[in-house]
Amino acid sequence: MAKLKLTLLFLLIFTQTLRSQDGAQDVLVTGLDDATKLLQGYYRPAMEGSIYSINNGWAHTAETHKPFGFDFTLGVSGAIVPVKRQFFKVTGLTKVNQNEGGVYEGPTVVSSQPHGNFLKVISSDGFSLSVRMPGGTEMKLPFNATPAPLAQLTLGLPYKTEILFRYLPKINIVGESLSYNLIGFGLKKEITDWFGEFNLPLHISLLTSITSFNVNYRFANLNSEILSTENGAADFNLNSYNFQSIFSLNYSKVNFYGIVGYGSGNSNFHFEGRFIYDKGGPDEQDYDTPILNFKSGSMKATLGTRFDFNFVKIFADFTLQKYNTISTGIIFSVN
């Protein structure tokens, strides 16, 4: 059976594919309630990790541009998935593993274990089925991180204010049946003057931001031993929010920055199309597909460094939060 591949995050050379192994769609025969619990547990670390990675990298200095000065940033963030999120456990299943108390344990989509465990399913017509849950992604990621693209324009405004803009237009990837788009807005206000003068080149700012990211992957009609699929598709949608205070020491060739704040977001993932269970007779059955909803947020603290080479700058930082995150990139700046 062909593999169902969902490419979630892509930017230029920063391309990452999250693959659900053979059998993801077959889980639908467990019924809407059980399938929701199983797939939500399976995809949770990738969906939550995406919230934290895409919410990072908004600022690498507290100092603002002069009016109409600007910079353009290209980079990537990666949210490190906690080890405990590589496996999940679901209880209270009503049609699955009834001899084991309706419990399932197995690898998530980010696990290094390539195969999931078998589900013993009682179908709606009373038949007993054996369905294998998908395993972890085949692709090895640095630090087991969920990546997100970073393409950002920052424009200086009067009164030591900046507007920040992230945008990836809706793009259809030829040969992949994949389309995606991203848009984000941020506002930064330097408040150093509120605290008087300092003996150090210290700058202080406040920043808030919002981001929306959407991916659609259309896959070919699939047929397994259990299900056939017509006009199948997978949709991923994410919204994230950011509130933070920025502190930086700005020297001529290097600056050091710290960030304290709160980041949160929500995402959803669902299959589209027709998923048909057919035992070979006339009584084929269509299965409803669940909408998987995820929500996460936490306090965050960032430490980072930026090196200045005239109009080109390079930065890297580490953020301590629920999913610790690494960000790095290159900046083209005109003051």
Side-chain angles (χ1 to χ4, degrees):
M1 172 185 167
K3 293 183 179 180
L4 173 61
K5 181 174 71 172
L6 171 64
T7 304
L8 291 178
L9 302 172
F10 178 90
L11 174 66
L12 300 178
I13 62 172
F14 305 110
T15 304
Q16 168 54 29
T17 302
L18 293 175
R19 293 183 178 92
S20 57
Q21 303 295 316
D22 294 344
Q25 64 271 39
D26 289 349
V27 177
L28 299 177
V29 302
T30 63
L32 186 60
D33 291 342
D34 284 4
T36 300
K37 293 178 181 179
L38 290 164
L39 293 175
Q40 193 135 6
Y42 175 70
Y43 284 112
R44 181 177 299 280
M47 301 299 105
E48 291 185 346
S50 297
I51 292 172
Y52 290 100
S53 58
I54 215 164
N55 216 10
N56 234 53
W58 279 95
H60 32 77
T61 178
E63 185 178 16
T64 54
H65 284 288
K66 296 176 182 178
F68 309 110
F70 65 92
D71 65 54
F72 180 69
T73 302
L74 283 174
V76 64
S77 293
I80 303 170
V81 178
V83 174
K84 66 179 181 180
R85 292 293 192 184
Q86 293 192 36
F87 293 87
F88 74 105
K89 179 178 180 180
V90 175
T91 61
L93 300 171
T94 59
K95 294 183 179 179
V96 174
N97 295 350
Q98 293 304 291
N99 293 335
E100 302 171 19
V103 177
Y104 173 81
E105 294 185 67
T108 65
V109 67
V110 299
S111 173
S112 59
Q113 183 172 313
H115 302 292
N117 298 319
F118 283 97
L119 306 170
K120 299 176 183 178
V121 184
I122 301 174
S123 66
S124 58
D125 54 13
F127 280 73
S128 179
L129 302 172
S130 182
V131 178
R132 189 165 200 165
M133 279 287 293
T137 180
E138 291 180 340
M139 183 173 289
K140 298 294 184 181
L141 299 173
F143 309 105
N144 199 32
T146 301
L150 171 57
Q152 176 177 307
L153 176 67
T154 301
L155 176 66
L157 299 176
Y159 306 108
K160 294 188 176 181
T161 303
E162 289 179 342
I163 186 170
L164 304 90
F165 183 54
R166 291 182 173 183
Y167 182 62
L168 292 174
K170 186 173 183 179
I171 299 176
N172 297 306
I173 307 300
V174 177
E176 290 286 350
S177 299
L178 170 73
S179 65
Y180 68 93
N181 70 287
L182 179 149
I183 188 168
F185 297 95
L187 184 67
K188 185 171 78 173
K189 168 64 177 175
E190 184 172 353
I191 58 172
T192 308
D193 294 343
W194 296 7
F195 301 94
E197 296 184 359
F198 298 97
N199 293 325
L200 295 172
L202 176 66
H203 296 265
I204 306 171
S205 289
L206 301 176
L207 184 147
T208 184
S209 65
I210 181 172
T211 307
S212 177
F213 186 44
N214 305 284
V215 178
N216 177 268
Y217 177 76
R218 310 199 72 83
F219 46 88
N221 294 343
L222 301 176
N223 291 287
S224 71
E225 296 178 358
I226 298 173
L227 282 181
S228 59
T229 305
E230 296 179 359
N231 300 317
D235 278 313
F236 169 64
N237 303 286
L238 179 150
N239 295 290
S240 65
Y241 315 94
N242 210 26
F243 307 93
Q244 58 190 36
S245 301
I246 310 162
F247 308 86
S248 66
L249 290 171
N250 293 59
Y251 297 97
S252 59
K253 295 298 181 181
V254 64
N255 72 280
F256 305 97
Y257 58 95
I259 299 172
V260 178
Y262 183 82
S264 66
N266 56 74
S267 62
N268 64 71
F269 173 78
H270 66 280
F271 293 108
E272 294 179 347
R274 189 182 180 200
F275 297 84
I276 309 159
Y277 170 53
D278 186 355
K279 301 183 297 300
D283 52 346
E284 64 182 26
Q285 178 181 351
D286 285 28
Y287 277 91
D288 294 328
T289 58
I291 297 176
L292 311 177
N293 295 303
F294 307 88
K295 184 178 181 180
S296 192
S298 77
M299 297 295 296
K300 60 193 300 184
T302 299
L303 288 176
T305 302
R306 188 184 74 180
F307 296 96
D308 295 357
F309 306 97
N310 295 323
F311 67 93
V312 177
K313 310 175 193 300
I314 298 172
F315 76 94
D317 60 48
F318 177 81
T319 300
L320 185 67
Q321 54 187 344
K322 186 175 180 179
Y323 284 58
N324 296 335
T325 305
I326 298 171
S327 297
T328 186
I330 185 169
I331 308 148
F332 305 94
S333 179
V334 177
N335 283 323

